[in-house]
Every structure is written in structure tokens, then in C-alpha cells.
Amino acid sequence: MAHDDRSVAAVKPSGAVNRPLIALTGATGFIGQFLLRELPKRGYRLRVLLRRPSVTPIESASAVVGDLARPQNMAAALADADAIIHSAGIAHAMSGLPEDDYRMLNTEATIRLARAAQRTGVKRFIFLSSIRAQCGPTADHVLTEAIAPQPTDAYGRSKLAAEQGLAELDLDWVALRLTLVYGPGMKGNMQELVRLARSPYPLPLARLDAKRSLLSLENLAAAIETVLAAPQRLRRAFIVADAEPLTIPDMITILRRGLGRRPGLVPVPPRLLELGLRAAGRGEIYQRLAGSLVADPSALMGLGWTPRVTATEGLRALVRG
């Protein structure tokens, strides 16, 4: 995101001089849009780094327009910023892209921005990474930061490489390895799960007992606030997840009860469900439904973070809103 002659700065809100100034990338994305609304409520000023002029509301932020992939001069964009929250990049849902694209936009652009932050004197660089930097789509054990990362796809490898690049810099950085994030405006697997829950049909999912960790937008914002406020140097990755993992039947039950309906789950043997999906050419769906991915956020909780929104509360809010 280069700062060039076309760059613009909005007027900063009055009465906000003493509040911490945070530079935010990815403000037009699912997570970025939420942070754009939420962080000012928590006492932060925002400077939004945008690739092009946008309709993103910036009433509480200043803005700089440019291209993150070509940051020839980020000094003006990062001037006086206390921290950076870097959420821009290629999302995992954007499958089919060449590995080079993931590396350029998720790894190299992150490291370039971090180097600019180091030169400018930014106090903390918060990188929104992913649990996929640590594992594949499923894991047969509970994940902690102490387990050696083993990403299995281009997306996960690009996120891990960005973390490794940050570790080589003289910069106070944090990588937040996010589990599956849900909230208004979400896409991908969680959007599909809500669509299933809203359908009027019984679902043959009652026998699926694998658990998966989720993360509400509200708990993510609290996690970011925790690492922003931490007084010590961090320079490490933290797993971020809601406190309790859920099975797919749990999720469907919560969503349908939030709609005022019965769960409507049928106890079909998992092997039969798998064979049926494979016969329909949808075997990958079974892996997403039946595989475990449980992540332990204890390290971040030890830093003072409390995931106050339970997964039950968060999922019910999805369908009630």
C-alpha cells in the first residue's frame, strides 16, 4: 500500500488526540469492517490504510490510499501510529490461486509493511494470522503454540512464512492464529452452516462427534485489545479461539433454537454419510463436517484475555440479528 500523490487524509475526530492511534489494513474485509466499527468504541483512533478510495465508513478514522504490495514510502501512512493491525491479505476461501499469489500478498507484503513499521518506530505490529499456519483442515490432537507448525496448503504456508519473517525483524510483533471466525457478514464454511440451519429439512448429522474451535468477532476484538495493551514485549504467536469447542450437531442445534425451532437432526451412521457424500462427488464436505480441529487459547488467556462471548451466545446472535 504505497503512499503516493493520490493519497488522502481525512480529518481526525476532535477530542481524540490522547487516544492511541492504530493503523489498520484490510478495513474493507469481513474482520476489518468489524474492527473499524468496534475499536473506536474501545478508545482507539484509527488510520485506515486503503488500496483505493472506498465506501468504507471512516467517521472515526483518518485514511491513506495506496497499494500495500508496493510500499515505496510508508512513512507518512505510519507517522505517529502506536501500533499496526494487519488484516489485509488473501483469504483462505479464495481457493485455486497460485501459491505465488499467496506468498506475495500474505507473506511478502506483510514483511514489507513490518519493515516500514520498524523504520517508523511503530511500537507493536499485530498480524492476523490463522490456525492454518499451524495445521491442516483437521487435527487429531488439541493444538497449542508449543506444537511445531505443519501447514498443509498454500494459504497456511504463506501465513507461517509471514510469522517467520516477522521473527527476523527487530520489532515487537504478535501473530494471532485465528480459528474459524464468525459474525455478521461472514462467508465460507460458517455461512454455509447457517444456510443449512435455516433450511426446513432434517439433517443427517446427529452422529458427528468431532469438535471444532470457533471464534466470535467480539472475542477477537477483545484479544486484539489485550495484545495492544500488554506492557511487555511479546514477539510470538498466540492461538485465539472461543473457550469451548463445539460439534457440528451442537452448532446446528444452537442455530435452530435461536430461530425458535427444534434441532431436526437425524442419527445417520457417519460411514454411511461419508459414502453418500462421496457418491455425490462431495467427499470434501464430509471432511469439513466430521474432522476435529480444537485449539487451546490458554497462552493468550494467561496474558489477561477473557473470551466473554460464549459460542452458544455468539451463534444464537447470528440468526437472531
Side-chain angles (χ1 to χ4, degrees), residues 100-293:
D100 283 351
D101 286 0
Y102 284 100
R103 184 172 60 250
M104 180 178 70
L105 295 172
N106 285 355
T107 305
E108 294 175 7
T110 298
I111 295 169
R112 288 192 194 104
L113 181 61
R115 286 173 177 156
Q118 180 179 314
R119 291 192 300 269
T120 313
V122 172
K123 299 180 182 67
R124 182 157 291 160
F125 188 98
I126 300 172
F127 173 49
L128 298 195
S129 186
S130 168
I131 198 65
R132 295 298 293 273
Q134 189 160 345
C135 66
T138 63
D140 59 6
H141 51 272
V142 176
L143 297 167
T144 71
E145 299 88 345
I147 297 172
Q150 294 182 312
T152 61
D153 59 15
Y155 172 76
R157 288 189 290 271
S158 70
K159 288 289 192 178
L160 179 61
E163 293 182 12
Q164 292 168 337
L166 291 173
E168 294 175 359
L169 302 179
D170 184 19
L171 177 72
D172 189 10
W173 61 276
V174 182
L176 298 181
R177 292 178 179 167
L178 312 182
T179 54
L180 186 59
V181 181
Y182 64 93
M186 66 192 179
K187 298 179 181 179
N189 290 342
M190 282 303 296
Q191 182 185 43
E192 181 66 16
L193 190 71
V194 171
R195 188 191 68 78
L196 279 176
R198 288 185 181 278
S199 72
Y201 310 112
L203 298 172
L205 307 176
R207 295 273 298 273
L208 298 178
D209 58 4
K211 292 187 176 183
R212 299 187 76 90
S213 291
L214 305 176
L215 176 62
S216 74
L217 283 171
E218 292 85 354
N219 287 338
L220 170 56
I224 290 172
E225 188 173 29
T226 296
V227 296
L228 280 171
Q232 68 271 41
R233 280 173 67 86
L234 296 174
R235 292 185 55 82
R236 60 161 294 175
F238 286 102
I239 286 172
V240 195
D242 290 347
E244 74 278 25
L246 299 174
T247 66
I248 294 295
D250 290 338
M251 296 177 202
I252 294 291
T253 297
I254 292 166
L255 290 167
R256 284 188 162 175
R257 284 180 175 163
L259 292 166
R261 294 167 48 194
R262 294 180 179 178
L265 294 170
V266 179
V268 173
R271 179 59 177 164
L272 187 59
L273 177 62
E274 180 182 12
L275 290 173
L277 286 169
R278 290 191 185 281
R282 307 300 299 274
E284 78 285 352
I285 292 179
Y286 181 79
Q287 184 185 43
R288 294 204 300 266
L289 291 172
S292 294
L293 202 162

Side-chain angles (χ1 to χ4, degrees), residues 292-308:
S292 294
L293 202 162
V294 177
D296 181 358
S298 295
L300 185 58
M301 294 174 75
L303 201 63
W305 174 62
T306 302
R308 299 188 184 280

